[in-house]
Amino acid sequence: MSNPKALILRAPGINCERETHHAFERAGGTSEYLHIKKLLEQPELLDQFQILAVPGGFSYGDDISSGRVLAQEMKAQLGERILNFVDRGGLVLGICNGFQVLVRLGLLPCTKGTLEEEVTLTHNLSNHYECRWVTVQTQKSRCSFLPEGLTLRWPAAHGEGRLVATSPEAQQTLVDEGFAAVVYVDKDGNATEQYPANPNGAPLGMAGLTNHNGRVLGVMPHPDRSYLPIHMPNWRRTQLDNGELPLDGDGMVVFREMVKTAKAEG
Amino acid sequence: MQAWRIDVLAKQGQLDPIGDAAQRTLTAAGLHGVTDVRSRRGYLLSAELSEQQVEGFARAVLCDPVIEEFVMHAPDTAVHNAPEVHTLTIVPKPGVTDPVAHSVQKSLADMFLPVVAVGTYQTYDVHGDVASEQLLAIAKKDLANDIVQQILVDALPAGLPSESPMPDLSVHQVPLKGLDEDALIALSKDGGLALDGHEMKTIQAHFEMQQRAPTRLELETLAQTWSEHCKHKTLTGTVSFDGRTIDNLMKSTIAHVTHTLDRDFCVSVFVDNAGIIKFDDVDSVCIKVETHNRPSAIEPFGGAGTGVGGVIRDVIGTGLGARPIANSDVFCFAPPDLKAEDLPRGCLHPLTVMKGVVSGVRDYGNPMGIPTVNGSVHFDDNFVGNPLVYVGSVGILPTARGLKKANPGDIIVALGGRTGRDGIHGATFSSLELNTKSESLSGGAVQIGDPITERKAMDAVLACADEDLFSAITDCGAGGFSSAVGEMAEGLGAIVTLEACPLKYAGLTPWEIWISEAQERMVLAVPPEKLDRVLAVCEAEASEAFVLGRFTNDNRLIVKHNDDVHCDMDLAFMHDGLPSRLLVASYKAPELSEPNLPAESDHKQALLDVMADFGVCSKEWIIRQYDHEVQAASAGKPLCGIHEDGPADAAVLAPKLGSMRGVVLSNGLNPRYSKIDPAAMAECALDEAMRNSVAAGGDPDYTVILDNYCWGNTRDPQCLGELVRATEAMCDLAMTYRTPFVSGKDSLHNEFRATLDDGGTKTIRIPGCILVTAMSVIPDVRRTMTSDFKRAGSKIVLVGTTKDELGGSVYYKSKGELGKNAPRVLKDSALATLNGVHRAIQAGCVLSAHDLSEGGVAAAATEMSIGGRLGADVQLASLIVEGNLDATKRMFSESQSRFLLEIPPDRLDDLKANLHEVPFAVIGEVRSDEQLAFTNNNEAIANLTIAEAEYAWKHPLDLDGTLTAEAKR
């Protein structure tokens, strides 16, 4: 089939749309921006796409709480529609603020297939925004496109990234039942709650979630800022050791696998 | 106005990082007895809403159902505290921008509820045995700022502010006829106009010729346009300098360099909001650096934030619209460990200032989605009353959009934020000296930013630019509409109608609307046939736009409100009527001497002291609060090395995604040298900016620079003489480097008049500072460098000559001395050094490179070791020196034009071939362990571990205690 089409959602305060757009194109997709105002006027436009990406940023200033105002704006007209989009085979990616929006909309973790706020992304234990590279590991999970067992370095850049569910048991369930698709790991490769390997103090090291049918992925750290080799913090050492740079940075796998999956299914 | 009160708080058992942070702050500030602090977010919703509506809304929007719960209080009900709990509530003062309230209103609309008046507040429940007076006093200093916030203890906000009374819309005449100079000066002073007697007399004469009195709005317009902030009266004045006459200092020095060099990559210099240079065949990059010192002195968070917002707007409004790609911020503060009793009355504590400034920059730059990639922080006691906040921004735009020109008939469209009473007299305020009472008198000039409104305006402007919908653009900065429209109308004319202007709240008079410096506003000149499309694009991007007027061709500025004419002035008088200033300057070098220090007995401790100097130490606590990765262009990050904690000399950006073409951004500044010789300060600033750029891979032959002055009272001839001396030295060097100035700015009168206990006053003047910012364009970011050691066994090479130049050095400072021998720059060998190191890096024979500046070779080698976690052997005897230098001076001399390079042993011949005649010496080797060893001949001078150095370097500004926790392990 032709290249899968990715809808790159724009909204006031969303600010990672250009890199997300480019990363999907680099992976062989066709990216298209759509402003939330236009999508709300014509929600059926969503059905022309195979992939929906909600990029990072500070939608509506993250006023009230991160992602809250945009999620509220989308809820009435787009909540069920995105759920249907997913059920019909669409793929959804939320990065950072996009992840926060998907959580507030109830699209993640969406354990029962209904739109319900089951978890939240709240203030880092440090109580401030922080930008640092972290090591994450993809888990054996429900996610239909993310290969398991990859150890990747992505930059985290957020003030409200601590993933919390209603109870410790509910948190454990997310891990046990394959919703916790991405976790922060320490230098030994173990999921960690320790700062700074885990920048926000999220229990069980949870950095990203997928939904019940594995077609939605939300991550706090940014694959969209680590998809080129020159994005990686120590690319000069890599260049020195290997004589050349690798083709991709560590974040590229997300975009490649989403486009590949969408293409295979289309 | 009565309102519902909704308090949102963490559910039992949930963590409360906001409350915990407040507890840490209160305890650190000396409040004893606090056992717990819990936070609550408060919202005020107008009583017009029903209980059911409020409850439904709170449940759906205000409260996070997973971890929070909420409490509703009906309008006009009292709330009683539990015993042993004090409530501390912080409420934005009426009229202060409250972006959250706007978002709440948006969500009301999204839920199809009536969009009523909304307010917000933050409450802390402070548990424990605490005196409420002490709580209030500490909260005022450390948790809030009563310039912009109301602080309540054991009381909650009564309701929402009531509607403003109807404003006086009539035209006010200000009679000047017959007033003598003293009366005119008094009038200027009382009105906050900051015009001097001569200027007031010029205005008086002009209106006498018109046989009428000026209106208030006309007088305000002139005060804004003629302010030091807008017109740079000093730097464009005629200076008599020790017998020489310099006509228009700016033109004959800085602009002269640029025009003489006439570099072909310059697209637009000095005429636009920012300097524009070519990036590649299609695009250009533009750059601007500003200061926002005075607002930041009084309200650091708001001042710094709106400073960032302002310089970003400058970039957006450059050419026909540029997209910001990077921010750079440089600060100067008094030492953050200043003793409370040494703090002059009326000053905020430097630690409070620093924390506020950092969070202000963070909370504007990050939401804008612009990476903050470069900066530095400097400390000196004399910044106590006048902290310096330099804010810079870089943008990218198609070269074809580089030039702008409004035409008669174009419609004036304003877009972005609404206009309020905020920031009135900011332009004139910034031209006055600060004093003990400034805090209370000048509060109106201070504002809180709203970055999302600016982001929407930016998106709208860039969407309009892509469709070629406007012929000129500028931002609203100092002077508001009066300056923006006044500047664009120069050579044309304009008719402005103020009544259509959307206001934040009712009650503004026409002159207030006209000169308000409310943030986040841009002004476009739109050809009439494109107006509908512009308004449609702004609507689609959710940015409010309206027609403010139109440009004419009669060279008159007419401002109306409804049918009343509030201004009808000749634009020629407005722009050219300002009498040129005649200034007197004189320079006499201070009488200083080199210190007579005993021989250094402990070089290890001396090095640790230097590493722990506030100026040298790690700025990681600041850097990590800034988003330096957004836009995915960072190929050279502010922190480098295997643990990503080593210092970078410059930022490297690849702004066009997928392309390797890049920009290198760096800066140079050293205020201490200014105390010895302002010429040394200026030269070193330029050379340091260039060295930083070259060390990171910048091309010295494709580099432009910016000059940003912060100076004391230039009416003092010596102070102005220092400025002239510094300028001439800097320009001389720039001419040799062939680096054109493309933009610059000055902030003068940085003096603080402190009231002493005995009732007397003391003036604290900042050391004259020129921040030099350098921007280089490079073909391939893959040929750039970081400063961290990469391989054990590499040779450590010192390029350049080390001299007895410790005047103003960190080493002398650590001994409480200033000294006399400030470093100077020898221009020809300096240029050869920059070019040689650049060639070597491009030839691929360098593994890491680091600029030598504060702390000299010892600090630089230590930093490279920390970055790479590889130790070093350094042979001090191997340094190329001039004169007889002992080991101490060899370690800590701050001679300029020096680099440390890491070279593979088999590439030393390559290095030599590329350095040409530039002197260099192998001074040591990178070790495989984590030991740093300095020796002189065979004598051990200092031995330390990287962990020891790291702790010294990280702990001074480790304000969360997390950086050194790691270093200790």
Side-chain angles (χ1 to χ4, degrees):
Chain A
M1 72 167 269
S2 59
N3 291 348
K5 281 180 71 182
L7 187 166
I8 314 298
L9 189 69
R10 291 187 54 226
I14 287 290
N15 62 31
C16 302
E17 69 274 12
R18 294 181 73 256
E19 46 269 48
T20 308
H21 185 284
H22 183 245
F24 274 113
E25 296 246 315
R26 193 170 182 270
T30 301
S31 303
E32 204 175 297
Y33 296 122
L34 206 53
H35 197 283
I36 184 64
K37 284 188 81 169
K38 182 133 188 233
L39 187 59
L40 287 171
E41 281 162 25
Q42 297 172 266
E44 66 282 0
L45 287 176
L46 177 62
D47 302 330
Q48 300 173 7
F49 295 84
Q50 287 77 53
I51 294 169
L52 165 66
V54 188
F58 286 75
S59 54
Y60 295 102
D62 281 352
D63 296 337
I64 304 172
S65 65
S66 56
R68 173 64 64 192
V69 177
L70 180 56
Q72 182 57 36
E73 184 178 31
M74 293 170 72
K75 199 169 262 176
Q77 289 180 70
L78 287 169
E80 290 293 333
R81 191 174 275 274
I82 299 174
L83 205 55
N84 292 336
F85 173 79
V86 172
D87 286 342
R88 286 201 320 273
L91 298 174
V92 180
L93 175 65
I95 303 171
C96 199
N97 196 219
F99 182 23
Q100 292 161 335
V101 170
L102 295 180
V103 157
R104 311 273 186 247
L105 270 170
L107 281 159
L108 282 172
C110 198
T111 57
K112 305 183 202 83
T114 54
L115 295 176
E116 219 179 296
E117 286 185 57
E118 297 177 62
V119 304
T120 188
L121 289 158
T122 187
H123 297 278
N124 298 352
L125 287 186
S126 67
N127 195 38
H128 62 68
Y129 182 98
E130 182 153 329
C131 181
R132 69 162 62 243
W133 284 72
V134 293
T135 307
V136 294
Q137 206 175 67
T138 59
Q139 302 295 289
K140 180 174 165 54
S141 77
R142 293 168 182 250
C143 189
S144 59
F145 52 86
L146 195 62
E148 70 171 275
L150 302 176
T151 301
L152 305 166
R153 300 214 69 218
W154 293 349
H158 58 251
E160 295 178 47
R162 185 164 51 97
L163 200 160
V164 182
T166 44
S167 66
E169 297 73 36
Q171 279 153 194
Q172 191 60 48
T173 305
L174 292 174
V175 173
D176 296 345
E177 298 192 359
F179 291 94
V182 182
V183 299
Y184 303 106
V185 293
D186 60 22
K187 58 180 188 306
D188 302 320
N190 300 316
T192 183
E193 298 182 358
Q194 286 301 309
Y195 180 90
N198 175 334
N200 52 52
L204 310 175
M206 284 188 285
L209 292 178
T210 189
N211 71 335
H212 69 102
N213 66 8
R215 306 196 68 82
V216 183
L217 177 69
V219 287
M220 279 317 296
H222 285 269
D224 56 322
R225 300 178 183 180
S226 49
Y227 65 91
L228 292 174
I230 55 161
H231 289 153
M232 304 305 290
N234 273 296
W235 60 263
R236 290 171 186 83
R237 286 165 190 276
T238 312
Q239 193 176 33
L240 203 60
D241 294 342
N242 303 346
E244 60 179 2
L245 284 173
L247 178 65
D248 290 337
D250 282 5
M252 193 62 203
V253 62
V254 173
F255 305 98
R256 286 210 192 283
E257 294 297 330
M258 283 185 84
V259 169
K260 194 168 91 186
T261 302
K263 203 163 188 168
E265 292 175 353
Chain B
M1 192 196 295
Q2 292 202 344
W4 293 92
R5 248 184 343 236
I6 299 105
D7 280 4
V8 180
L9 58 158
K11 283 181 184 167
Q12 199 66 38
Q14 291 293 346
L15 298 172
D16 179 9
I18 299 173
D20 294 346
Q23 182 173 356
R24 285 195 298 273
T25 303
L26 291 171
T27 306
L31 187 67
H32 300 296
V34 181
T35 55
D36 191 20
V37 177
R38 302 289 285 177
S39 74
R40 287 186 270 149
R41 293 197 312 276
Y43 301 91
L44 296 163
L45 299 177
S46 165
E48 297 155 62
L49 294 180
S50 71
E51 180 169 2
Q52 200 188 356
Q53 285 173 322
V54 172
E55 186 173 351
F57 182 69
R59 196 171 297 289
V61 176
L62 299 181
C63 175
D64 184 321
V66 178
I67 52 168
E68 291 174 339
E69 57 194 14
F70 66 94
V71 187
M72 278 171 60
H73 302 288
D76 216 18
T77 49
V79 180
H80 298 288
N81 287 346
E84 291 283 294
V85 180
H86 288 296
T87 62
L88 180 70
T89 298
I90 299 164
V91 197
K93 283 190 173 169
V96 170
T97 301
D98 182 358
V100 179
H102 297 153
S103 291
V104 172
Q105 287 177 319
K106 178 187 160 45
S107 288
L108 283 170
D110 287 339
M111 282 189 72
F112 305 104
L113 290 166
V115 180
V116 297
V118 171
T120 69
Y121 56 93
Q122 173 79 45
T123 297
Y124 300 100
D125 294 331
V126 180
H127 298 251
D129 185 12
V130 170
S132 57
E133 306 75 40
Q134 203 196 353
L135 177 62
L136 179 65
I138 287 179
K140 272 187 180 172
K141 277 192 358 233
D142 292 286
L143 275 182
N145 187 322
D146 60 1
I147 296 286
V148 289
Q149 291 162 325
Q150 192 186 3
I151 302 153
L152 305 167
V153 172
D154 296 333
L156 287 174
L160 288 156
S162 43
E163 290 285 326
S164 311
M166 269 303 288
D168 176 1
L169 298 175
S170 59
V171 179
H172 284 258
Q173 316 283 340
V174 185
L176 301 180
K177 200 178 161 87
L179 298 185
D180 64 11
E181 186 158 345
D182 286 346
L184 288 169
I185 290 171
L187 196 145
S188 165
K189 204 168 178 185
D190 293 346
L193 301 178
L195 293 166
D196 69 14
H198 189 44
E199 289 158 355
M200 286 299 289
K201 281 176 84 169
T202 307
I203 293 170
Q204 184 186 41
H206 175 78
F207 283 96
E208 226 146 85
M209 252 164 45
Q210 316 281 312
Q211 297 182 323
R212 68 178 177 95
T215 66
R216 170 133 203 211
L217 192 143
E218 286 170 334
L219 204 52
E220 292 282 357
T221 303
L222 289 168
Q224 306 304 316
T225 313
W226 290 6
S227 66
E228 183 68 56
H229 190 96
C230 296
K231 265 287 191 263
H232 308 287
K233 293 181 270 204
T234 302
L235 286 197
T236 57
T238 300
V239 181
S240 160
F241 181 38
D242 288 339
R244 269 194 297 148
T245 300
I246 306 168
D247 187 27
N248 192 332
L249 180 64
M250 181 77 163
K251 228 180 207 162
S252 63
T253 54
I254 288 164
H256 176 71
V257 171
T258 303
H259 293 133
T260 308
L261 293 172
D262 194 23
R263 300 299 304 261
D264 56 4
F265 47 69
C266 289
V267 175
S268 160
V269 287
F270 298 130
V271 292
D272 205 335
N273 282 355
I276 310 177
I277 65 164
K278 275 186 193 145
F279 178 68
D280 60 17
D281 292 343
V282 179
D283 290 315
S284 285
V285 281
C286 62
I287 181 164
K288 170 68 172 269
V289 178
E290 270 265 354
T291 51
H292 223 225
N293 303 336
R294 283 169 179 72
S296 304
I298 289 173
E299 212 297 280
F301 176 82
T306 53
V308 171
V311 78
I312 293 170
R313 283 197 304 285
D314 270 325
V315 163
I316 297 169
T318 296
L320 289 168
R323 185 170 57 78
I325 57 171
N327 286 347
S328 157
D329 301 287
V330 172
F331 313 134
C332 299
F333 303 123
D337 60 355
L338 185 79
K339 289 199 192 82
E341 60 266 30
D342 293 337
L343 186 69
R345 220 180 294 164
C347 294
L348 295 172
H349 192 274
L351 183 61
T352 305
V353 175
M354 182 171 81
K355 284 180 171 179
V357 166
V358 169
S359 44
V361 169
R362 175 193 71 201
D363 288 354
Y364 211 106
N366 295 355
M368 278 300 290
I370 302 168
T372 301
V373 295
N374 176 254
S376 60
V377 193
H378 308 266
F379 298 90
D380 189 275
D381 292 344
N382 284 8
F383 294 121
V384 69
N386 296 82
L388 306 185
V389 175
Y390 290 98
V391 288
S393 192
V394 179
I396 190 164
L397 72 165
T399 305
R401 285 197 337 224
L403 303 175
K404 59 178 64 154
K405 190 182 180 306
N407 297 304
D410 281 355
I411 311 293
I412 308 171
V413 175
L415 71 139
R418 292 189 163 196
T419 300
R421 205 168 272 127
D422 24 11
I424 283 179
H425 285 159
T428 51
F429 163 58
S430 71
S431 312
L432 299 168
E433 161 210 78
L434 289 182
N435 60 47
T436 297
K437 285 196 186 130
S438 295
E439 245 195 341
S440 47
L441 295 178
S442 315
V446 177
Q447 307 184 53
I448 298 295
D450 179 3
I452 298 311
T453 296
E454 182 144 310
R455 176 76 195 193
K456 290 188 282 190
M458 171 183 127
D459 288 343
V461 164
L462 295 178
C464 289
D466 286 344
E467 292 187 37
D468 188 25
L469 296 179
F470 54 87
S471 49
I473 177 172
T474 197
D475 68 304
C476 281
F481 289 142
S482 77
S483 296
V485 175
E487 275 171 36
M488 288 172 94
E490 192 172 358
L492 298 172
I495 295 181
V496 172
T497 45
L498 294 173
E499 67 272 12
C501 179
L503 301 178
K504 291 184 177 179
Y505 37 81
L508 268 72
T509 63
W511 72 266
E512 287 177 316
I513 298 171
W514 181 236
I515 68 159
S516 158
E517 295 181 12
Q519 300 290 305
E520 290 99 21
R521 301 176 303 161
M522 304 292 299
V523 176
L524 306 177
V526 179
E529 68 277 12
K530 294 178 176 175
L531 176 64
D532 289 348
R533 183 62 195 148
V534 165
L535 297 177
V537 169
C538 290
E539 164 83 25
E541 295 290 342
S543 188
E544 198 168 29
F546 74 100
V547 172
L548 181 62
R550 68 184 159 82
F551 292 107
T552 59
N553 58 3
D554 60 4
N555 213 24
R556 291 200 78 78
L557 177 68
I558 296 166
V559 182
K560 295 179 169 182
H561 190 278
N562 295 323
D563 289 330
D564 297 328
V565 177
H566 286 260
C567 170
D568 185 354
M569 258 198 308
D570 183 5
L571 273 163
F573 174 68
M574 206 172 123
H575 287 295
D576 305 321
L578 175 69
S580 168
R581 275 207 179 145
L582 185 64
L583 303 144
V584 180
S586 171
Y587 180 75
K588 190 164 160 278
E591 283 180 25
L592 299 165
S593 60
E594 280 286 290
N596 205 352
L597 291 172
E600 179 59 59
S601 58
D602 187 348
H603 283 93
K604 174 180 168 179
Q605 191 55 47
L607 174 56
L608 294 175
D609 289 347
V610 164
M611 298 307 290
D613 178 81
F614 283 119
V616 175
C617 76
S618 170
K619 309 300 182 299
E620 186 170 346
W621 179 82
I622 298 174
I623 293 167
R624 293 214 177 279
Q625 295 192 55
Y626 299 156
D627 192 344
H628 44 266
E629 298 286 356
V630 64
Q631 298 195 18
S634 97
K637 305 174 192 303
L639 295 165
C640 65
I642 54 167
H643 293 179
E644 293 139 42
D645 59 357
D649 288 308
V652 181
L653 300 164
K656 292 174 84 166
L657 297 174
S659 159
M660 290 297 145
R661 202 167 173 82
V663 168
V664 178
L665 187 64
S666 65
N667 71 75
L669 173 62
N670 193 324
R672 275 178 71 78
Y673 298 157
S674 200
K675 297 181 172 187
I676 299 174
D677 185 349
M681 177 278 298
E683 286 171 355
C684 295
L686 173 52
D687 197 57
E688 186 188 0
M690 294 299 288
R691 292 196 310 273
N692 276 327
S693 171
V694 166
D699 177 357
D701 196 45
Y702 198 154
T703 302
V704 296
I705 52 176
L706 291 84
D707 58 286
N708 279 81
Y709 288 72
C710 287
W711 224 263
N713 178 10
T714 49
R715 299 197 172 205
D716 168 4
Q718 169 73 11
C719 189
L720 183 61
E722 291 171 3
L723 186 149
V724 175
R725 181 174 164 83
T727 303
E728 292 185 333
M730 175 177 68
C731 288
D732 200 21
L733 191 60
M735 196 71 104
T736 303
Y737 290 170
R738 303 187 67 236
T739 46
F741 296 94
V742 295
S743 177
K745 200 90 190 191
D746 57 283
S747 161
L748 308 179
H749 303 282
N750 284 287
E751 300 196 346
F752 187 87
R753 191 151 41 82
T755 306
L756 304 173
D757 289 339
D758 62 8
T761 60
K762 181 180 133 191
T763 296
I764 305 169
R765 176 183 291 178
I766 65 159
C769 293
I770 304 176
L771 168 70
V772 176
T773 308
M775 178 170 72
S776 177
V777 173
I778 54 169
D780 191 340
V781 297
R782 284 169 297 191
R783 272 179 282 160
T784 56
M785 280 287 115
T786 54
S787 70
D788 49 306
F789 282 141
K790 308 244 172 5
R791 280 190 177 164
S794 297
K795 296 297 177 195
I796 301 171
V797 168
L798 177 59
V799 179
T801 306
T802 305
K803 304 171 195 168
D804 186 357
E805 293 182 319
L806 284 89
S809 68
V810 176
Y811 178 74
Y812 277 3
K813 184 179 163 198
S814 73
K815 305 290 177 193
E817 300 284 352
L818 180 63
K820 183 180 184 225
N821 301 343
R824 295 300 302 255
V825 180
L826 284 177
K827 51 189 184 180
D828 293 322
S829 64
L831 177 61
T833 305
L834 295 172
N835 286 334
V837 171
H838 177 63
R839 276 191 302 270
I841 288 173
Q842 296 311 301
C845 52
V846 182
L847 297 180
S848 62
H850 198 16
D851 150 57
L852 263 64
S853 54
E854 290 168 299
V857 69
T862 305
E863 288 176 346
M864 294 172 87
S865 277
I866 292 172
R869 291 301 192 285
L870 292 170
D873 282 318
V874 176
Q875 298 285 349
L876 296 167
S878 303
L879 268 63
I880 296 172
V881 298
E882 196 179 279
N884 189 14
L885 270 65
D886 64 11
T888 315
K889 289 191 170 174
R890 286 167 188 252
M891 281 177 84
F892 300 117
S893 163
E894 297 185 5
S895 287
Q896 303 292 295
S897 304
R898 296 184 304 157
F899 292 85
L900 265 190
L901 305 179
E902 179 191 359
I903 308 290
D906 59 351
R907 301 297 296 272
L908 284 170
D909 290 342
D910 273 1
L911 176 72
K912 189 173 167 57
N914 281 294
L915 283 178
H916 296 179
E917 74 282 19
V918 176
F920 75 97
V922 175
I923 63 158
E925 198 164 285
V926 178
R927 294 170 64 126
S928 56
D929 62 7
E930 300 204 358
Q931 200 70 30
L932 274 155
F934 293 85
T935 51
N936 195 25
N937 296 318
N938 288 321
E939 183 195 353
I941 299 294
N943 276 297
L944 61 160
T945 63
I946 290 177
E948 289 173 303
E950 186 191 341
Y951 180 79
W953 185 62
K954 285 186 174 179
H955 88 268
L957 290 179
D958 180 16
L959 300 189
D960 286 341
T962 52
L963 305 175
T964 39
E966 267 183 283
K968 272 184 192 158
R969 272 204 299 275

